[in-house]
Amino acid sequence: MKPIAHNGSVSEGAGTVLPPSGDGLGWLHLLVDQRFYPIFAVLFGAGFTLLLRSAGSRPVLVRRLAALLAIGLLHLTLLWPGDVLTAYAIFGLLVLLPATWLPRGVAAGLCALLIAGPLVLATGFYLLIPGLLMLGAVLTRYGVADRLDDLPPRVPALLFTAFAAAAVPLVWWQTTGIGFRWAYPLAGLAIAGAYVCGLLALLATRARGVLAPTFAPLGRMALTNYLGATVLVLIVSALAPGPSDAWGTGTVLGIAAAILALQWLWSRAWLLFFRQGPLEWGWRWVTWWRRPPLVREHA
């Protein structure tokens, strides 16, 4: 995957992504672009493993991945060529599913190879996805996901400090344009780790009372909101004057904030009456091959 330069052109990996003109879009590329998909890939691998634990049946996982592949292909062909669901489904079938037969120690070794290989060979972000999916699965198999709420607050705080300290020189390296193909993914992984550990550290404080109800509705309808965001962005792009590549920082942040606010309101309202988002419900139906309840009893 190639980064998009601040002027809308595609960088070939030789130049800086922080424009000397001071255009704030450069900071978006440093702090946002390709910084969140590692988080979602790890979470997907963890969720996959938790589902296997509860289902105890691999055909359930095959149906779930096949349904996700169908959704991803529709999204890819009809709406947005940058779809990631297709990759999750394909690599889930090719890597995650076979790895469920491996001892967890062997799976951990495979995970290390799948992450280190693309980083050393500079193959780009796309081929990092199998390793990140495996990382989520391995962490879950070792019980890390089960113990997150029991961690002492200093643990995520120390991890956040370590990731942030690593991210500073890596981001600077990225801005030099030297060795961009190595600096870009390394910086992305460090920043993603800092984001996750920083959030975990905040959740261990009184801020949890605000953060948990804020993120929960969006997380419970993640698939619906992911596809819905594509539709909303396409609508805004069609209505807004000028090409989207020419949008300034304020415009980009304003559109993103408005879409998130709209989706939060929509998710909160929907979940008052229904147990799951509409796409999550359909996905669950195919996964378990029986119709789950949708409407809440009090509704």
Side-chain angles (χ1 to χ4, degrees):
M1 294 184 181
K2 297 180 179 179
I4 299 175
H6 70 285
N7 60 358
S9 62
V10 177
S11 166
E12 295 299 332
T16 176
V17 298
L18 181 61
S21 63
D23 186 342
L25 284 178
W27 289 104
L28 293 181
H29 286 300
L30 290 178
L31 300 177
V32 178
D33 187 35
Q34 302 290 355
R35 279 27 179 172
F36 287 91
Y37 95 89
I39 300 173
F40 296 124
V42 172
L43 289 174
F44 185 88
F48 180 91
T49 306
L50 290 172
L51 179 62
L52 176 61
R53 182 190 301 175
S54 63
S57 170
R58 289 179 177 83
V60 171
L61 300 177
V62 173
R63 288 196 298 270
R64 188 167 182 81
L65 291 172
L68 186 67
L69 179 60
I71 295 170
L73 288 174
L74 289 173
H75 186 226
L76 177 70
T77 55
L78 300 179
L79 295 175
W80 187 51
D83 170 77
V84 74
L85 302 180
T86 305
Y88 287 176
I90 291 174
F91 289 130
L93 289 167
L94 296 180
V95 178
L96 274 181
L97 188 62
T100 60
W101 279 280
L102 298 176
R104 67 180 187 177
V106 177
L110 176 61
C111 170
L113 288 174
L114 290 174
I115 292 177
L119 289 175
V120 171
L121 299 175
T123 56
F125 276 107
Y126 191 81
L127 290 182
L128 270 173
I129 292 178
L132 294 170
L133 294 175
M134 281 293 298
L135 178 59
V138 167
L139 289 175
T140 304
R141 292 179 67 176
Y142 275 94
V144 175
D146 297 324
R147 296 194 295 267
L148 282 180
D149 287 336
D150 299 327
L151 289 176
R154 66 179 181 276
V155 173
L158 289 172
L159 289 173
F160 166 76
T161 303
F163 276 116
V168 171
L170 290 171
V171 168
W172 174 83
W173 181 18
Q174 176 183 324
T175 64
T176 67
I178 301 171
F180 186 91
R181 295 181 182 277
W182 289 272
Y184 190 52
L186 285 170
L189 293 178
I191 291 175
Y195 287 159
V196 170
C197 294
L199 181 59
L200 289 175
L202 287 174
L203 289 173
T205 68
R206 292 180 180 179
R208 184 185 187 94
V210 175
L211 293 174
T214 299
F215 288 113
L218 294 169
R220 290 177 61 191
M221 293 179 55
L223 179 60
T224 297
N225 285 327
Y226 173 71
L227 298 176
T230 299
V231 175
L232 291 173
V233 169
L234 291 175
I235 292 173
V236 172
S237 300
L239 297 177
S244 59
D245 289 344
W247 291 349
T249 307
T251 302
V252 172
L253 293 177
I255 292 172
I259 289 176
L260 277 174
L262 180 62
Q263 290 190 322
W264 184 83
L265 291 171
W266 141 260
S267 299
R268 286 273 297 177
W270 178 272
L271 292 172
L272 288 175
F273 300 96
F274 303 100
R275 298 171 182 267
Q276 294 178 294
L279 291 179
E280 287 77 9
W281 176 72
W283 193 19
R284 185 179 180 86
W285 188 346
V286 174
T287 297
W288 296 99
W289 213 240
R290 61 178 180 267
R291 181 178 177 177
L294 177 61
V295 179
R296 289 185 177 276
E297 291 180 3
H298 70 78

